[in-house]
Amino acid sequence: MRRPFASVLALAAAAAAIPLASPVPAAADGVVIGGYPVEISQSPWTVALSSRDRFGGTRVGQFCGGVLVGPSTVLTAAHCLSADVLGAPPQKVRDLRVIAGRGDLLSNDGKEIAVRDTWVNPDYDSHTNAGDFGVLTLATPLPESSVIRMAPSGDPAYGQGTAAVVYGWGDTTGAGDYARSLRAADVKVLPDANCEQAYPGSADGTYEAASMLCAGQLEGGRDSCQGDSGGPLVAQGRLIGLVSWGSGCGWAGSPGVYTRVSDVIRTLAAKR
């Protein structure tokens, strides 16, 4: 799936259309494996994070996904905003942009919006991957109609077996084949036990049910991947997860791990 700390050079190479000799994880993880094209009008809350200075202009500098949860508020993965990925603290990346309303990255649709402020969860643990989220505040607000509602604790959308959809512009094969246009994949919310068994603690991370959500297919085949990190996992019309981490892309027995949005809500409420 997506590896938070893999080489930035792999994504830069893909952005420059340099063939990869073998599957190499990208800077910030995730591409939709086993997915299908989707119009941005069907998920206007799905946005792309961009820095041409860092990742080149071939794919308009897209390196991660994000989700519009307020007119001026975008959620993404904390690891997308790390210096390992961006080359500097996010507030020092002068051309950091959020691209909204653009399904085809190479089109002129939508808007590229400057980021006024960034906040990374101070409790994010880069070893376990717990608390993997950050907040971008846009310099110019977007329409309320483009905002998706976050699912609070106890929402039935988190229920085991619930059908969900993950969105992104990431790797579609696990071999560096990055999507030009937005894609989606149908997955299911899986029991925490599946990810606890898959990720009991290793260099990849440790599954912690309190702040993480397990989703995908046990048999593999549908998943997020490099480049999708920070993008939305949606069930029953509500945001339940952010693409975070995992082993491989679409591998059997290695479901995707997502930041649990109910924990994001709890953390942000405590921050106020």
Side-chain angles (χ1 to χ4, degrees), residues 10 13 18-19 23 26-29 55 62 72-73 80 95 99 135 141 150 158 169 176 195 233 237 245 248:
I18 298 173
D29 303 319
F55 297 102
Q62 187 272 338
S72 300
T73 305
C80 289
D95 74 331
I99 303 176
V135 180
M150 296 186 287
Y158 293 105
W169 288 270
C195 277
L233 178 69
W245 65 285

Side-chain angles (χ1 to χ4, degrees), residues 12-264:
I18 298 173
L20 298 179
S22 60
V24 179
D29 303 319
V31 169
V32 176
I33 302 292
Y36 49 87
V38 63
E39 295 294 326
I40 193 66
S41 59
Q42 296 176 303
S43 59
W45 17 263
T46 304
V47 301
L49 272 56
S50 164
S51 170
R52 290 175 174 83
D53 286 350
R54 181 65 168 164
F55 297 102
T58 303
R59 297 178 69 254
V60 298
Q62 187 272 338
F63 65 96
C64 270
V67 195
L68 191 71
V69 296
S72 300
T73 305
V74 169
L75 291 181
T76 190
H79 73 260
C80 289
L81 302 178
S82 70
D84 286 342
V85 169
L86 292 175
Q91 61 271 22
K92 293 187 180 296
V93 180
R94 293 178 297 176
D95 74 331
L96 181 61
R97 296 288 186 271
V98 166
I99 303 176
R102 183 183 299 174
D104 181 344
L105 292 174
L106 302 187
S107 75
N108 293 318
D109 296 338
K111 299 178 179 179
E112 297 191 15
I113 304 170
V115 174
R116 179 167 58 83
D117 193 21
T118 59
W119 180 86
V120 177
N121 179 16
D123 295 326
Y124 167 54
D125 186 331
S126 61
H127 299 289
T128 65
N129 301 316
D132 186 15
F133 78 93
V135 180
L136 304 176
T137 303
L138 303 180
T140 305
L142 289 164
E144 186 72 41
S145 59
S146 296
V147 171
I148 190 170
R149 185 164 72 88
M150 296 186 287
S153 180
D155 191 298
Y158 293 105
Q160 177 180 326
T162 300
V165 183
V166 58
Y167 299 84
W169 288 270
D171 190 348
T172 58
T173 65
D177 298 314
Y178 286 82
R180 164 177 166 170
S181 296
L182 181 64
R183 295 177 64 84
D186 298 324
V187 295
K188 289 185 177 180
V189 177
L190 298 175
D192 290 323
N194 290 148
C195 277
E196 289 169 347
Q197 180 178 3
Y199 309 113
S202 69
D204 288 335
T206 303
Y207 186 78
E208 299 181 2
S211 66
M212 300 176 189
L213 184 68
C214 189
Q217 293 182 309
L218 286 180
E219 65 273 25
R222 296 179 187 170
D223 198 359
S224 55
C225 192
Q226 279 68 254
D228 291 327
S229 283
L233 178 69
V234 176
Q236 300 180 356
R238 297 179 291 283
L239 180 67
I240 61 171
L242 304 173
V243 177
S244 182
W245 65 285
S247 293
C249 297
W251 292 358
S254 298
V257 182
Y258 296 79
T259 301
R260 186 179 290 266
V261 167
S262 59
D263 187 62
V264 173

